[in-house]
Amino acid sequence: MTNKIEMVSSKLIPMGTFNGKKGKNRVEGVANSNKTYHKNNDKQKKEKQFSLNNANNYVYLGSTNTPLLNNMGITLSDDGSLILIKGKTHDLFTGLYQKHIKGGFKYNLFNIESQNSNNMKFKEIYVDHKGFLIGNRFNPIDNSRDLYKIKFNRVEEEYSLNDTSSKTFDSNFIVEYEKYIVDDNLKQDLSNINNVVELKENNILKINREGLDLTIKLKDNALYTQGLPNKIATSDQVDSSQMKEHEVEVEEHKIKIPLKNTDKILAIKPILNQVQLVVDKGNKIKIYYLDPLNIFAIKDYQYEVTRLKQEPPLSFYSMIGENNYKNYHSGQPFSTQTVGNFSSRNIPFFSSFIDNSRLHINKAKEQYALKEYRSMLKNIAKAVDPGFRGLFCNIKQLINSSTTAYNSKPMALYGIKENIGKSYDVLNRIVKGVKNGVTQGEVIYSLVNDLKDKENITINHHSDVRAFFGINAFQLPNNIGVNAFLLASYVKSHSITLSKSEDNQITFSFINNNKNLFVAGLSAGIGGYEKRWGLECVDYGFVTPVMASALLSASYTKKSNFSFSLDINDIPKFINQGLSQNENELINKSTLEIDQDMSISLGAELRSEASFDVDVMVNPNMELTVPRNAIGINFIFNLLKLDLNINKFIDHGKTDVTKKSKKLDLNLLELGIDVYRDLKFTPSTTNSDNVIQWYPLTSVKDFELMVKKRINSLLSFTLFKSENLIRVENLEQDKKNIKGIYKRVLKLNTLLESFPEKYHLSNKIDKLDSIYLNLSSDKKPINKLREDSNKNLTTVLPQRKEDIFQTQITKENRQHNINHFLSSLKERKEILSSQEKDNMNEKFKPYFIANYQLSREGSLLRSDLQNEINHIVEESRNSEQVDLNKIKEKLNDLYTRYKQQFAHVKYQIASTDIMSVSELSYKKKTLPTGFVRLGNKKAIIHTQVKGNINYIYNESEDRVDKISTNYYY
């Protein structure tokens, strides 16, 4: 039975700026009462302080299973209304400055108020084991329990640009409330969650410890539990399936927790399958989290907690690249600043090593708390691992034949069933439900059910090996040394991508990719180098000469995409029964696309750099460079590039290729520029009498690019395209006398393809508030939105004074709403920009896509051209006698006439999609030496829609009348 979901239009009312300091006023000894306690706040203060009620009812929304507002907190006001808490994250240096110089961290609070003033008020809130935010509705009459799921759906805004009224801007915050029916064994007794008001009621939480149900109770500033065995020596000792009834103790026993005697526990509540503790530490209030897996008992019933965490348990959406608790300051109150969470992205050479060490040291701490000492020692070893794990993992993955690009559907099905378990393992590191009684199918169903159109989840496995070899080949005049080198790389990846269509169909896409690269060439250093400073036998700091390379490269890439769709309700069964559908059924529902790219290029590259090497004298005639650390600029000149693409497609219900295409392109004079950072160990040697210090250019090609710019080929030719032959056959239909017009038809088709009905522009998030209403015929943005107010609202000038006055008011209202919209957009941009990260194996990159469509005139022009082309082709097909010259003249005239007309068409903006790509990865890499490097990475990638902006035009479609927005953050 599905409960009715009530969608309530609400608004966010600013409550002011709060600091994180503890409020001075305190309430004790208040007995049970149906009356609501109100705390008196000094509204004159610019900065307010959180009340105890705010602290006791606090929940971090990143622990819930909703992606909206997952970087914010929520609590209750003294009357039970919902309050959002919005702060700003800080890295180490900005955080220290804000904390000690700027007066501490600040938070903006917003009261969620219903548009119809019928606010739903709650007694307490918590997060259940499935990640739903649950509220116990306040009932002043009988104090009964009435539970609701609370879900924040979206923020709606609408701007009526041409409305003559003064209020032309509407904002709605859509909140969903769904009646929550819970089993008796999962009911939480949270009547005492607000210790300020109801001190005499019980406070008993029901938690699951990997299949074992237990209770935790707050009493007399201590925690008590029942349901655990008398002894727990290790975290994996407790297994509910093996527990005997008499082994579970029904009496309450105290839990010793690592807090000071002076600390006071104000409240507890369940957050997923952990316990949140609100602790008064005297001068401040802190929130800790108790994982039931950290409860042990060496002696009978002497339970103790080995570790309280300061980071809340997080949902899938927060774990994948949006974990604000990985910053020095999380942007939320009651949290602890962590110095170790600094960004190491820009630390030369050791950034990846630092991240690897921090991740495994944190993991070792967790395993120490779980008394898993063997695993702890492994993670300590991993923290200082120079790359041996990457070596062994890579070899294993690279030789796995079941993850190569597929050639047939049966081969694809076999490979998927062989490797799908590895994808589950990566996913289950993030989604913890499998060990707490939730099936694998239910886990995946819960994730895909919340996907929106254009969103997807990808689980990727990537392995690569790169090798560089070079020798001194010969010497040119003026002491110019020449190196001969070889650079080879092999990259292999396989992934699964899950997406949802509007009709609730879930598409599974299994993509395998193999890429081979081979580069050979000569490289020379032109000019000398200058030592900047030295110390005895160590020289460091050089300005290096200009380095030039001539290289011949060849690459081969093969990619396969095996995909099929299922109804969302079939997902749990399909997954739980091991991809249960039979082979013939999946073959009928699936498609397989195979894409092969082969490329050969001849080019030259020129670079110069500032080097900060450390050169150590190993003997009087030899130096050793360890490590190499340089920043440089690289100019690329691809003189010739030959590309062959072969594409095959096997459609639904087929096992043989149903469509095949080939294309051979020749590109000349391709230019490019790279600004790079080269960080690696390079144990190369240099004779002391050699005045040239340089490194072959291609030894740095696979490392970090800081800036990348490419200029398309100045000359490009398609030498062969198999679709052309198919079109000729279809066109001729045994009438070879019209073959001569085919090239002109293709020319017209190319003109049509140059002006598609829809065109998309992707850009960085910092350009979000630069809205261009149109694109010119050459796809360049024009007519910025702020300039739109300069246009006349009407084409006919008003005659009466009243009309002139009304028009002026409308113009002013239009400009006011445009400014309000752009101001709101700027704020939204800054929110997402502040969350951008690439640190500690986490990435978050926001961007947006502006969607344009042909104007009405352009669309009609395109349609007319298509009709005229079809008319000429049909006329030629049906004619007994074909005047070839006359048809050529018609086509030439058609092309010339429409090309001139298309030069004046415009595209109109239709919508903007605000997007983000977030990633959480698990990397195993060898040290980046100058000779061989291996890498292995497993990652979960989440592409999200963060918002939509729609532009609504007037009847003549020449002017934007209304802008509507939906935000999901």
Side-chain angles (χ1 to χ4, degrees):
M1 179 179 175
T2 304
N3 295 320
K4 180 182 177 181
I5 298 177
E6 182 182 358
M7 302 190 65
V8 178
S9 294
S10 305
K11 52 187 176 182
L12 298 177
I13 307 299
M15 298 176 62
T17 302
F18 285 62
N19 58 45
K21 298 176 183 178
K22 177 185 171 184
K24 295 181 181 180
N25 48 337
R26 194 162 181 167
V27 179
E28 295 180 352
V30 181
N32 292 352
S33 172
N34 288 332
K35 297 180 180 180
T36 305
Y37 166 74
H38 295 274
K39 177 185 172 186
N40 294 322
N41 287 322
D42 182 2
K43 295 184 179 180
Q44 301 301 319
K45 292 182 179 180
K46 290 185 178 180
E47 290 183 7
K48 305 174 184 179
Q49 295 176 337
F50 292 100
S51 68
L52 291 179
N53 191 46
N54 297 149
N56 291 344
N57 287 288
Y58 173 83
V59 169
Y60 181 57
L61 289 175
S63 299
T64 67
N65 59 6
T66 174
L68 183 64
L69 308 180
N70 64 352
N71 62 338
M72 297 175 66
I74 191 167
T75 187
L76 299 179
S77 65
D78 295 319
D79 67 352
S81 300
L82 294 171
I83 297 176
L84 284 176
I85 303 174
K86 176 185 173 183
K88 184 178 180 181
T89 60
H90 289 277
D91 199 3
L92 177 61
F93 297 110
T94 61
L96 291 173
Y97 177 76
Q98 181 68 37
K99 183 176 181 179
H100 299 291
I101 307 299
K102 298 286 288 183
F105 303 107
K106 308 295 189 297
Y107 311 94
N108 294 317
L109 270 64
F110 301 88
N111 191 27
I112 301 176
E113 193 172 292
S114 172
Q115 297 277 21
N116 58 17
S117 300
N118 185 20
N119 291 325
M120 190 173 289
K121 300 181 180 181
F122 297 94
K123 192 177 177 182
E124 58 259 345
I125 53 176
Y126 66 97
V127 182
D128 78 348
H129 67 291
K130 291 185 177 180
F132 293 111
L133 178 64
I134 306 299
N136 183 11
R137 188 171 185 177
F138 179 72
N139 191 331
I141 299 175
D142 57 5
N143 203 27
S144 60
R145 184 185 301 272
D146 207 5
L147 299 178
Y148 284 84
K149 292 180 185 177
I150 306 169
K151 185 175 182 180
F152 304 117
N153 190 288
R154 64 189 180 274
V155 180
E156 294 179 342
E157 294 177 358
E158 190 172 275
Y159 305 83
S160 299
L161 303 185
N162 291 340
D163 203 317
T164 57
S165 64
S166 59
K167 185 181 183 304
T168 54
F169 162 69
D170 294 313
S171 178
N172 287 321
F173 181 53
I174 307 301
V175 185
E176 295 181 4
Y177 298 99
E178 180 184 355
K179 198 77 183 242
Y180 181 61
I181 309 299
V182 63
D183 296 336
D184 290 339
N185 64 323
L186 296 175
K187 284 183 178 178
Q188 308 290 347
D189 188 354
L190 299 181
S191 300
N192 193 37
I193 202 66
N194 180 358
N195 278 325
V196 175
V197 179
E198 302 159 282
L199 294 177
K200 292 184 179 180
E201 296 188 6
N202 294 323
N203 192 359
I204 302 175
L205 310 185
K206 295 178 181 178
I207 303 294
N208 187 283
R209 175 179 163 143
E210 294 194 348
L212 181 67
D213 294 326
L214 62 141
T215 63
I216 293 180
K217 180 178 182 179
L218 173 62
K219 183 173 65 175
D220 300 328
N221 199 38
L223 297 183
Y224 293 82
T225 185
Q226 65 179 42
L228 288 172
N230 59 338
K231 290 183 179 180
I232 309 174
T234 62
S235 62
D236 57 356
Q237 176 182 328
V238 179
D239 186 347
S240 61
S241 63
Q242 299 176 1
M243 291 280 294
K244 298 179 181 179
E245 187 175 345
H246 66 274
E247 290 180 322
V248 178
E249 182 61 41
V250 295
E251 293 184 8
E252 293 180 357
H253 295 278
K254 187 175 180 179
I255 306 174
K256 182 181 178 182
I257 54 179
L259 289 175
K260 297 179 181 179
N261 293 332
T262 55
D263 294 343
K264 181 178 180 181
I265 304 175
L266 301 177
I268 63 172
K269 69 171 60 182
I271 303 293
L272 293 173
N273 265 307
Q274 296 189 27
V275 179
Q276 176 177 296
L277 289 79
V278 182
V279 179
D280 185 347
K281 300 185 74 66
N283 60 340
K284 56 188 173 182
I285 293 177
K286 291 291 183 184
I287 290 182
Y288 298 93
Y289 299 89
L290 188 160
D291 189 335
L293 290 174
N294 293 137
I295 302 176
F296 297 94
I298 304 301
K299 298 182 180 179
D300 284 354
Y301 306 117
Q302 294 186 17
Y303 301 113
E304 64 176 329
V305 174
T306 53
R307 187 188 189 195
L308 291 176
K309 293 188 287 187
Q310 297 167 354
E311 179 180 321
L314 299 175
S315 69
F316 171 85
Y317 302 101
S318 294
M319 287 285 284
I320 307 301
E322 296 188 60
N323 182 5
N324 286 339
Y325 278 80
K326 291 298 184 184
N327 297 295
Y328 167 73
H329 178 62
S330 65
Q332 287 296 296
F334 319 121
S335 62
T336 300
Q337 289 74 55
T338 308
V339 175
N341 287 346
F342 60 89
S343 175
S344 64
R345 181 181 180 183
N346 296 313
I347 298 178
F349 185 71
F350 293 105
S351 58
S352 59
F353 178 79
I354 291 171
D355 282 349
N356 177 71
S357 299
R358 286 191 295 183
L359 290 169
H360 288 293
I361 288 172
N362 287 337
K363 189 68 177 175
K365 289 180 180 178
E366 291 179 10
Q367 288 164 338
Y368 177 80
L370 294 172
K371 297 186 181 294
E372 297 176 355
Y373 301 120
R374 183 176 297 178
S375 298
M376 178 195 71
L377 293 174
K378 288 181 180 179
N379 269 289
I380 293 175
K382 291 176 182 178
V384 296
D385 173 34
F388 295 113
R389 291 187 308 128
L391 175 64
F392 295 118
C393 288
N394 254 43
I395 293 174
K396 186 177 179 181
Q397 291 296 324
L398 292 172
I399 63 176
N400 184 359
S401 61
S402 64
T403 58
T404 56
Y406 303 130
N407 292 315
S408 66
K409 288 184 178 181
M411 178 183 176
L413 286 173
Y414 169 78
I416 290 166
K417 292 180 179 180
E418 283 289 306
N419 295 284
I420 192 70
K422 299 174 184 176
S423 296
Y424 294 158
D425 291 341
V426 176
L427 182 64
N428 293 338
R429 294 187 185 189
I430 309 301
V431 186
K432 306 295 184 181
V434 173
K435 291 187 177 181
N436 289 319
V438 181
T439 66
Q440 191 69 64
E442 290 172 329
V443 166
I444 294 177
Y445 174 85
S446 67
L447 294 178
V448 298
N449 188 47
D450 289 329
L451 287 177
K452 295 185 282 290
D453 186 34
K454 301 178 184 177
E455 292 187 336
N456 60 70
I457 296 170
T458 298
I459 306 171
N460 183 55
H461 298 256
H462 175 98
S463 300
D464 63 77
V465 56
R466 295 175 172 87
F468 170 78
F469 307 95
I471 59 172
N472 293 323
F474 53 87
Q475 198 86 1
L476 294 175
N478 299 323
N479 203 22
I480 297 176
V482 178
N483 254 20
F485 61 83
L486 296 176
L487 175 69
S489 68
Y490 177 58
V491 181
K492 187 177 184 181
S493 67
H494 63 99
S495 65
I496 171 175
T497 297
L498 304 172
S499 57
K500 186 171 77 169
S501 64
E502 293 181 355
D503 58 351
N504 274 338
Q505 291 289 306
I506 305 302
T507 299
F508 292 74
S509 297
F510 296 88
I511 300 173
N512 289 12
N513 207 335
N514 309 109
K515 182 176 181 180
N516 303 272
L517 173 68
F518 179 83
V519 181
L522 299 174
S523 192
I526 305 171
Y529 72 95
E530 181 183 353
K531 295 181 180 180
R532 288 302 186 190
W533 55 85
L535 180 63
E536 296 181 354
C537 64
V538 178
D539 296 322
Y540 48 98
F542 298 94
V543 174
T544 60
V546 175
M547 290 147 280
S549 293
L551 44 102
L552 176 68
S553 63
S555 66
Y556 173 72
T557 302
K558 186 175 181 180
K559 177 182 178 181
S560 67
N561 183 353
F562 179 74
S563 63
F564 54 86
S565 298
L566 298 173
D567 187 88
I568 189 170
N569 295 317
D570 297 332
I571 297 300
K573 181 180 177 181
F574 177 72
I575 298 297
N576 291 336
Q577 295 184 2
L579 311 184
S580 59
Q581 293 190 342
N582 62 55
E583 184 170 314
N584 291 332
E585 190 175 354
L586 277 180
I587 286 175
N588 286 329
K589 290 183 176 181
S590 64
T591 63
L592 176 63
E593 183 176 10
I594 306 160
D595 199 75
Q596 295 171 275
D597 281 302
M598 287 155 275
S599 175
I600 298 176
S601 67
L602 177 64
E605 300 186 2
L606 191 71
R607 74 180 174 110
S608 185
E609 63 185 31
S611 175
F612 305 94
D613 306 338
V614 176
D615 282 13
V616 181
M617 295 294 297
V618 293
N619 61 52
N621 297 315
M622 197 71 68
E623 292 181 350
L624 186 66
T625 302
V626 181
R628 166 173 165 73
N629 182 15
I631 295 176
I633 185 169
N634 181 32
F635 297 94
I636 302 166
F637 307 93
N638 276 333
L639 305 178
L640 177 150
K641 188 177 182 183
L642 198 63
D643 293 312
L644 173 63
N645 175 265
I646 302 174
N647 184 275
K648 301 176 184 177
F649 186 78
I650 305 176
D651 210 341
H652 296 93
K654 305 293 182 179
T655 55
D656 296 326
V657 175
T658 55
K659 182 180 178 182
K660 183 178 179 180
S661 65
K662 292 182 180 179
K663 185 179 180 182
L664 182 63
D665 289 327
L666 174 63
N667 298 294
L668 302 176
L669 302 178
E670 187 178 69
L671 308 178
I673 183 173
D674 292 335
V675 179
Y676 62 86
R677 183 173 68 172
D678 183 21
L679 306 170
K680 62 175 176 285
F681 282 120
T682 307
S684 60
T685 58
T686 304
N687 291 327
S688 60
D689 58 353
N690 189 354
V691 297
I692 295 175
Q693 175 76 12
W694 58 274
Y695 292 86
L697 177 64
T698 50
S699 66
V700 302
K701 287 178 70 68
D702 292 312
F703 293 94
E704 182 177 355
L705 290 179
M706 301 167 70
V707 177
K708 180 178 180 180
K709 180 69 176 176
R710 294 292 183 270
I711 299 174
N712 293 332
S713 303
L714 302 181
L715 295 173
S716 180
F717 307 95
T718 298
L719 302 179
F720 174 78
K721 190 174 182 181
S722 62
E723 287 107 334
N724 295 354
L725 299 179
I726 295 171
R727 289 177 183 174
V728 169
E729 292 172 359
N730 293 336
L731 184 65
E732 287 180 339
Q733 293 185 339
D734 298 327
K735 297 180 184 292
K736 296 181 179 180
N737 55 342
I738 64 170
K739 185 176 181 181
I741 69 171
Y742 179 65
K743 288 185 178 181
R744 288 161 178 82
V745 174
L746 286 182
K747 197 175 180 181
L748 286 165
N749 284 339
T750 302
L751 181 62
L752 280 171
E753 291 170 358
S754 301
F755 296 93
E757 287 283 357
K758 296 181 179 180
Y759 192 80
H760 310 283
L761 282 179
S762 181
N763 215 330
K764 296 180 179 179
I765 199 66
D766 58 3
K767 302 291 185 182
L768 180 62
D769 55 340
S770 296
I771 302 296
Y772 290 90
L773 296 178
N774 298 100
L775 297 179
S776 62
S777 59
D778 56 355
K779 313 301 187 299
K780 292 183 179 179
I782 56 174
N783 190 12
K784 201 171 183 180
L785 180 59
R786 191 175 295 278
E787 301 166 358
D788 186 66
S789 61
N790 296 326
K791 294 184 178 181
N792 290 329
L793 183 66
T794 57
T795 56
V796 180
L797 291 176
Q799 302 298 321
R800 298 184 302 165
K801 290 182 179 181
E802 292 83 356
D803 293 338
I804 296 174
F805 179 71
Q806 190 62 57
T807 300
Q808 185 61 33
I809 292 177
T810 306
K811 276 187 174 184
E812 291 175 359
N813 288 340
R814 180 182 182 86
Q815 184 59 47
H816 171 77
N817 280 278
I818 289 175
N819 291 340
H820 199 295
F821 166 67
L822 292 174
S823 176
S824 173
L825 213 54
K826 182 179 179 182
E827 182 181 350
R828 293 283 171 181
K829 172 192 73 175
E830 290 172 349
I831 291 173
L832 288 178
S833 296
S834 67
Q835 293 179 268
E836 191 166 358
K837 69 162 71 172
D838 185 359
N839 187 44
M840 291 185 71
N841 291 350
E842 294 184 17
K843 292 182 181 179
F844 179 78
K845 182 181 180 181
Y847 64 100
F848 71 94
I849 300 173
N851 304 304
Y852 291 86
Q853 62 185 18
L854 266 178
S855 63
R856 179 184 292 180
E857 294 79 5
S859 185
L860 289 173
L861 191 66
R862 194 176 192 278
S863 179
D864 290 343
L865 176 56
Q866 287 176 317
N867 292 334
E868 291 203 45
I869 293 173
N870 292 335
H871 175 73
I872 293 175
V873 171
E874 288 300 321
E875 189 179 58
S876 301
R877 284 177 176 173
N878 299 326
S879 177
E880 294 293 334
Q881 292 183 351
V882 178
D883 189 338
L884 187 60
N885 292 327
K886 186 176 180 180
I887 294 175
K888 287 180 180 179
E889 287 179 9
K890 285 183 179 180
L891 293 176
N892 286 335
D893 176 68
L894 205 62
Y895 178 81
T896 302
R897 179 158 46 92
Y898 275 94
K899 184 178 181 180
Q900 292 174 350
Q901 295 181 64
F902 270 120
H904 303 288
V905 302
K906 292 182 180 179
Y907 282 83
Q908 294 176 321
I909 192 167
S911 62
T912 301
D913 295 321
I914 305 172
M915 309 290 293
S916 70
V917 175
S918 49
E919 176 183 312
L920 176 64
S921 59
Y922 303 92
K923 300 178 182 178
K924 299 175 183 176
K925 284 188 176 181
T926 56
L927 276 176
T929 66
F931 301 121
V932 178
R933 189 184 80 171
L934 297 97
N936 179 275
K937 183 175 84 168
K938 301 172 184 176
I940 300 180
I941 304 164
H942 188 204
T943 300
Q944 274 186 281
V945 176
K946 291 293 188 178
N948 308 107
I949 305 171
N950 294 298
Y951 302 88
I952 302 158
Y953 289 80
N954 58 7
E955 291 185 5
S956 59
E957 297 185 7
D958 61 354
R959 188 174 178 82
V960 176
D961 270 0
K962 189 179 292 185
I963 300 174
S964 65
T965 65
N966 289 314
Y967 296 118
Y968 306 104
Y969 68 101

